[in-house]
Amino acid sequence: MPPARLSDLPPANRIFVDREEPQRVFEMAAFAIPADRAALRVFYGIGGQGKTALCRELIRKTGPGGDPSYGFLRCALLDLHGRPKTDPDLLLVWIRSGFAEAGIDLPAFDLALALAWEASRGEAPFPTLTKPWLGRATGTARNAVDEGGNWLGSDTAKEMIGEAVGEIPGVGFLARRLGNWVIDRGKRAYLDRTRDSLKRLHDDAGALRPPHELSALLPWMLAQDLNHYVARHPAERLVLFIDEYERVFEQGGAGARWVENPFDRHMRALLGETNGLLAVFFSRERLPWEADTDWRDDLAGHQHLLGGLADADADAFLAAIPIEDAAIRAAIIDGARERAGAEAPVYPLMLDLQVEHWRNLSAKGQAAPERFTVEAETSDDRCIKMIKQVLRDYGDPLQTTIERLSVAQRFDRAAFACVVKTFGTAVPQDSFERIADLSFVTRAPDGFLSLHDVVAVAIRSQLDEDKRRTSIDALLDHYTARARVESHFDLTDAHVLALFEAASLRWAQGAEGYVTWLFEIVEPLQISARYAEATALWRNALTLIETALYSNHPDTIKSLNNLAFLLNVQGDYAGARPFYERALAMREEALEPNHLDTALSLNNLAGLLRDQGDYAGAKPLCERALAIHEMVLGPNHPDTAISLNNLADLLNNQGDYARAKPLYERALAIQEMAFGPDHPGTAISLNNLAGLLSNQGDYAGAKPLCERALIITEEAFGPNHPQFARILNNFAGLLIAQGDCAGAKPLYERALFITEESLGPSHPNTVTSLNNLAKLLSAQREYEKAKPLYERALAIAEKTLGHDHPNTATSLNNLAGLLDNAGAEPLYKRALAICEKALGLNHPTTRIVRENLESVLSGRPIISFATGSYTFKPLPQPPR
């Protein structure tokens, strides 16, 4: 008999299995939510134990039409299954929309989100918001005022915002910055009650905070809106259900498993600031916050393991389907046990699969108790038998299609069509929707489907080798084609999603050659400075390669190097260093002393030590690498130029300009000859030499080199790349040296913006940009604006570089210049001690700091706010 049509299958009212203990835990927590903070509860367990079902049932009971005793709760759901996790701000957007559906207004968050989005993403599509408080202006509204005009003063703005503009400090400025955003006039009263929250969008000088600070402020803004609601409705409380939270740790960050995770950081910040909220997590694992002293007490005794079902619970579930035949219900329950034996608990996933089987049998009139028997002892074998039976119910074409799709982590309609066409499975295109309707399949918001993990593993384990291999090959080709781009400028989130799917399929082909494949396909990510995604791929590659191949395999070393490079470029020097050191040690042990791969590792580690301020440790490594390249490749090879540049960088940082200059000149000549005058490698040498000439006071000679480097880099990487920001910083410094402060300021501001957006607010390059802009503001006597930038630069430098790094000394010196003598003296002393130890007594930087300290000790005022006199010497950042 052919498989039943979808329309013939009986409906299945899969209500939650009424487990008493989890419901009791939730009930006790819900009726004891504190008014002055958030409470946490966690339900965790392996796949198939019914965590999502529990989540859905609690939502049903607390929602409209549910248990009236929960009527005082306002609930929101955050379902993380299949959602992209490359932008942590979206985590808050999803939570925000959930609470908006519950009837809560969120004006402060919406305004902060619009500002952060406008500043950092430009014309990128704004997230769809439920009950939005802000929206894009219509064409008429946009054209009502010229781009250069005062939008705030226009009739259009007055109509949209009304008199609230004048009543709320700073809102007028915000409206000018909003540009194409409009505010619902009917909701303008909310501006008044969010007055204090909106003030946080500005710094002490009244300027709008930079994008990274706006992003970091978003959890606090959302919390303020939620707190305001709780304060106005003291009898009510909030609940946030979070399903599949383990996926945050799988994809949300490139650093430590959770401490450095940006998604998790936003969640912790939100819960730490919110009152009257119960957060209920559903996850495969315990919430790792219990390792943090800030959360340990909140989680103590509140992480609950979900196990199997009792027979009575399972029978209640089946009766509600409804399955009216008691004998069939009993047979289904026996077949759904985790292992053979009447005492074994019922496995929720197996129970769901049995219901799928019952639907198909009922449609064909074949439902009988004996059809639900599972002849197997162990949990795995029983699950496999049940899955095979369910797939057979749907007929060979659909079964074959699902089996082939199971080799992928996720698949969408295009991947489904690829399988149907490639293997001629003869299922109609609308069968994609039938697959989506299966109980063990989840549809993500982006349209991708995924099989339940347990089901997918079971299906894959039963595939014969030919079907497995050909399925992987076909889907790998499909996703690889979707991931490839002509240029890194064409890279989109869709390409990145396809790349992650392709990577999992390529690994399924085997470890041999995986690193070479990954190196090629991930290159656009790295060129585009999408370092977090690239890091995730290489971190996973290292874990897989070390498991599959021997420990000192060349691919292990390559993975170590690539991961270390990505951590290094993101400013995680402490994280990168052990990987570089391992790679070098493995190469020195396995290779000849003068092998080129050893020179590569020497250069890599030397560059990291230089960035950490360990010039003494870096120098012999640079010299060894250069010696190897010159001996093996000759004096005019491009790789020799790399070693020349690295050694010259080190000498430049040490103030040995005379020795650095000919090395830079040699490197530039080699690269121009090998690559041509417009190659990105040539631009690096141009920028390096320009920085050296600037240090020597030859600004006229440096400027054309820097200009050339800017043009090449913008053409190669685009105007928002961190490498372009570096050169912008150096070029702005040249303009200042030539007296063009007005021309330099927008370049410094742009460099700071690019660096924060591409590398993050705590990256060492951000320290450089902050110091540079603050130095310019100080020179323009805008001391109150300069001081917080210097303070931030110092805080970042101490945290990311350490208390004894030369760049920390730079920040100490620069901040000291804006303090009175009593406050400046200890900072100068700290800075001088660092410089004398790291740079030597006669380094130019050491001399400048010493002169500043002597000026303070002599009693001469460094700065007078009354007269504007300004005598201290700020330190420049190294022109890298």
Side-chain angles (χ1 to χ4, degrees):
M1 180 179 291
R5 296 177 181 270
L6 188 60
S7 58
D8 295 332
L9 298 179
N13 178 29
R14 288 185 171 91
I15 69 164
F16 170 68
V17 176
D18 188 17
R19 297 197 223 187
E20 181 178 339
E21 181 60 21
Q23 300 235 38
R24 185 187 67 81
V25 167
F26 173 77
E27 180 180 0
M28 292 180 63
F31 283 93
I33 301 174
D36 60 345
R37 60 185 177 85
L40 281 68
R41 296 295 184 272
V42 181
F43 296 103
Y44 71 98
I46 62 171
Q49 293 290 11
K51 297 182 295 295
T52 296
L54 173 60
C55 178
R56 290 172 180 168
E57 172 61 10
L58 293 179
I59 291 171
R60 185 196 67 79
K61 290 187 70 171
T62 56
D67 187 337
S69 66
Y70 290 117
F72 68 100
L73 298 178
R74 295 291 173 267
C75 303
L77 168 65
L78 173 63
D79 184 356
L80 292 168
H81 187 276
R83 290 186 183 270
K85 299 170 185 67
T86 55
D87 186 346
D89 290 351
L90 290 179
L91 178 81
L92 301 174
V93 171
W94 301 328
I95 295 172
R96 172 249 176 252
S97 288
F99 280 117
E101 289 177 358
I104 298 176
D105 293 305
L106 303 137
F109 175 78
D110 284 8
L111 185 54
L113 176 67
L115 288 164
W117 199 273
E118 195 78 16
S120 62
R121 297 164 175 86
E123 293 301 315
F126 190 67
T128 300
L129 302 181
T130 300
K131 299 181 180 179
W133 188 72
L134 291 170
R136 292 281 191 181
T138 64
T140 302
R142 284 197 301 269
N143 297 327
V145 184
D146 291 338
E147 283 295 318
N150 181 0
W151 185 87
L152 178 64
S154 70
D155 292 337
T156 304
K158 292 176 182 177
E159 175 67 19
M160 293 173 179
I161 304 178
E163 297 304 316
V165 172
E167 296 169 4
I168 308 301
V171 172
F173 178 72
L174 295 180
R176 286 196 294 273
R177 290 296 295 267
L178 284 175
N180 291 339
W181 292 98
V182 299
I183 301 173
D184 185 337
R185 189 185 184 196
K187 296 180 179 178
R188 68 189 186 206
Y190 292 129
L191 286 171
D192 186 62
R193 60 94 164 164
T194 56
R195 179 192 305 262
D196 292 335
S197 299
L198 294 175
K199 290 179 181 178
R200 291 287 296 270
L201 299 173
H202 299 80
D203 59 25
D204 294 338
L208 187 68
R209 295 185 184 276
H212 80 275
E213 291 187 14
L214 292 175
S215 176
L217 198 59
L218 287 178
W220 184 87
M221 280 290 183
L222 181 54
Q224 300 319 297
D225 282 328
L226 297 175
N227 291 346
H228 179 80
Y229 182 86
V230 171
R232 291 186 64 193
H233 304 83
E236 297 186 10
R237 291 293 184 267
L238 311 175
V239 178
L240 175 61
F241 297 106
I242 307 110
D243 195 19
E244 301 205 10
Y245 196 66
E246 73 276 358
R247 296 181 183 273
V248 164
F249 304 113
E250 293 169 357
Q251 303 175 37
R257 184 173 181 271
W258 68 276
V259 175
E260 298 299 328
N261 188 301
F263 270 74
D264 193 60
R265 184 166 57 242
H266 264 19
M267 178 65 79
R268 284 181 282 128
L270 172 65
L271 298 186
E273 295 287 349
T274 305
N275 299 329
L277 171 70
L278 172 63
V280 186
F281 292 84
F282 302 88
S283 180
R284 285 200 301 266
E285 301 172 357
R286 296 172 67 92
L287 194 65
W289 301 0
E290 61 189 358
D292 186 346
T293 55
D294 290 339
W295 297 97
R296 186 179 301 151
D297 292 344
D298 295 278
L299 288 170
H302 297 318
Q303 303 220 56
H304 304 277
L305 176 65
L306 288 182
L309 303 175
D311 286 15
D313 292 337
D315 190 67
F317 172 80
L318 296 175
I321 293 285
I323 301 176
E324 298 174 350
D325 189 316
I328 290 179
R329 294 203 304 271
I332 288 175
I333 290 171
D334 282 339
R337 297 190 188 281
E338 292 184 349
R339 59 187 181 278
E343 78 289 350
V346 178
Y347 190 15
L349 174 63
M350 285 279 285
L351 195 64
D352 227 13
L353 291 171
Q354 288 275 46
V355 172
E356 286 289 341
H357 188 34
W358 170 84
R359 293 178 74 200
N360 280 284
L361 291 176
S362 296
K364 294 183 286 188
Q366 298 176 350
E370 62 272 14
R371 301 296 296 268
F372 299 97
T373 301
V374 178
E375 299 289 347
E377 294 292 323
T378 67
S379 176
D380 287 346
D381 287 344
R382 292 171 68 83
C383 191
I384 288 171
K385 283 183 175 293
M386 192 69 250
I387 291 167
K388 290 173 69 174
Q389 178 58 63
V390 169
L391 291 180
R392 282 196 297 269
D393 289 339
Y394 289 103
D396 288 343
L398 192 61
Q399 175 182 346
T400 300
T401 303
I402 293 173
E403 287 174 343
R404 290 191 177 278
L405 287 167
S406 72
V407 302
Q409 288 185 329
R410 303 196 314 153
F411 55 91
D412 60 359
R413 195 178 296 275
F416 165 82
C418 167
V419 165
V420 172
K421 180 179 179 180
T422 303
F423 300 105
T425 58
V427 296
Q429 288 298 313
D430 62 2
S431 292
F432 181 79
E433 294 302 326
R434 183 163 192 177
I435 294 174
D437 186 57
L438 297 174
S439 64
F440 52 85
V441 174
T442 301
R443 187 198 295 266
D446 58 10
F448 276 81
L449 304 183
S450 59
L451 305 182
H452 192 290
D453 290 343
V454 175
V455 174
V457 170
I459 294 174
R460 288 196 293 265
S461 71
Q462 299 301 302
L463 295 179
D464 64 65
E465 181 55 32
D466 180 72
K467 182 177 284 188
R468 174 186 175 278
R469 177 183 55 79
T470 55
S471 299
I472 291 172
D473 290 349
L475 284 167
L476 173 60
D477 289 345
H478 170 76
Y479 279 118
T480 301
R482 290 169 59 176
R484 292 196 185 280
V485 290
E486 290 293 324
S487 164
H488 64 276
F489 292 114
D490 302 325
L491 193 68
T492 67
D493 287 345
H495 292 106
V496 177
L497 288 174
L499 172 55
F500 273 83
E501 298 302 327
S504 70
L505 289 160
R506 176 57 185 83
W507 178 254
Q509 287 185 328
E512 291 296 336
Y514 177 76
V515 166
T516 301
W517 175 89
L518 182 61
F519 185 85
E520 176 190 353
I521 200 167
V522 83
E523 186 177 20
L525 273 180
Q526 297 183 182
I527 295 175
S528 300
R530 297 186 67 154
Y531 298 130
E533 291 109 328
T535 302
L537 287 165
W538 279 113
R539 191 184 293 279
N540 189 51
L542 177 61
T543 301
L544 296 171
I545 290 294
E546 285 188 307
T547 302
L549 304 175
Y550 53 89
S551 60
N552 61 342
H553 190 280
D555 282 355
T556 302
I557 301 173
K558 291 175 183 177
S559 298
L560 287 166
N561 259 326
N562 285 312
L563 178 56
F565 164 77
L566 287 162
L567 294 173
N568 189 13
V569 79
Q570 292 175 91
D572 185 1
Y573 302 144
R577 184 167 179 170
F579 294 129
Y580 272 148
E581 289 175 334
R582 276 185 61 196
L584 175 59
M586 291 163 70
R587 279 176 167 159
E588 287 190 310
E589 180 181 356
L591 305 174
E592 295 295 323
N594 295 323
H595 197 282
L596 292 175
D597 286 348
T598 302
L600 173 63
S601 284
L602 288 166
N603 263 328
N604 290 341
L605 181 56
L608 175 64
L609 295 176
R610 179 200 63 212
D611 290 342
Q612 289 185 306
D614 184 3
Y615 302 146
K619 191 174 182 180
L621 304 185
C622 282
E623 291 172 335
R624 274 187 63 196
L626 177 59
I628 293 172
H629 279 139
E630 287 186 317
M631 180 178 68
V632 178
L633 300 175
N636 297 316
H637 193 277
D639 287 355
T640 302
I642 293 174
S643 287
L644 288 166
N645 257 324
N646 288 346
L647 180 56
D649 275 347
L650 183 61
L651 295 171
N652 189 13
N653 285 356
Q654 292 179 304
D656 191 350
Y657 307 138
R659 290 183 60 198
K661 186 176 180 180
L663 302 185
Y664 276 145
E665 290 172 332
R666 270 188 64 193
L668 175 59
I670 293 170
Q671 286 170 323
E672 285 187 313
M673 180 173 60
F675 301 131
D678 299 323
H679 190 273
T682 302
I684 292 174
S685 287
L686 287 166
N687 182 60
N688 290 343
L689 182 55
L692 177 68
L693 294 176
S694 180
N695 287 340
Q696 292 180 313
D698 183 4
Y699 308 125
K703 189 174 180 180
L705 303 183
C706 204
E707 288 173 330
R708 275 185 61 196
L710 269 177
I711 294 171
I712 296 169
T713 303
E714 184 172 19
E715 179 70 23
F717 301 117
N720 296 311
H721 196 278
Q723 181 62 22
F724 184 67
R726 282 185 172 186
I727 303 176
L728 274 177
N729 264 319
N730 295 344
F731 187 61
L734 286 172
L735 294 180
I736 290 175
Q738 295 179 315
D740 186 5
C741 290
K745 188 175 182 181
L747 303 188
Y748 275 149
E749 290 174 334
R750 188 177 170 198
L752 176 59
F753 172 79
I754 295 170
T755 302
E756 288 175 330
E757 285 303 299
S758 59
L759 300 177
S762 299
H763 193 280
N765 286 12
T766 302
V767 176
T768 300
S769 289
L770 287 166
N771 266 317
N772 287 340
L773 180 56
K775 183 175 66 173
L776 174 59
L777 292 170
S778 298
Q780 294 179 319
R781 300 184 179 180
E782 296 188 59
Y783 308 125
E784 293 299 331
K785 292 183 179 180
K787 186 178 178 182
L789 301 184
Y790 277 146
E791 289 172 335
R792 209 182 129 217
L794 176 59
I796 297 170
E798 288 181 322
K799 180 179 179 181
T800 62
L801 300 174
H803 291 268
D804 298 322
H805 194 282
N807 285 8
T808 302
T810 295
S811 295
L812 286 164
N813 176 84
N814 293 350
L815 177 59
L818 296 185
L819 305 177
D820 58 28
N821 283 11
E825 182 179 337
L827 301 191
Y828 280 137
K829 286 182 176 178
R830 274 187 62 196
L832 182 60
I834 295 170
C835 291
E836 287 180 339
K837 179 180 178 181
L839 305 176
L841 299 178
N842 297 316
H843 191 280
T845 296
T846 307
R847 292 198 299 270
I848 290 174
V849 177
R850 187 181 297 117
E851 291 171 6
N852 288 335
L853 176 59
E854 290 171 352
S855 179
V856 166
L857 294 176
S858 69
R860 295 193 300 273
I862 290 179
I863 186 168
S864 171
F865 290 99
T867 64
S869 62
Y870 186 75
T871 60
F872 102 102
K873 298 177 181 178
L875 292 171
Q877 287 292 135
R880 293 192 57 244

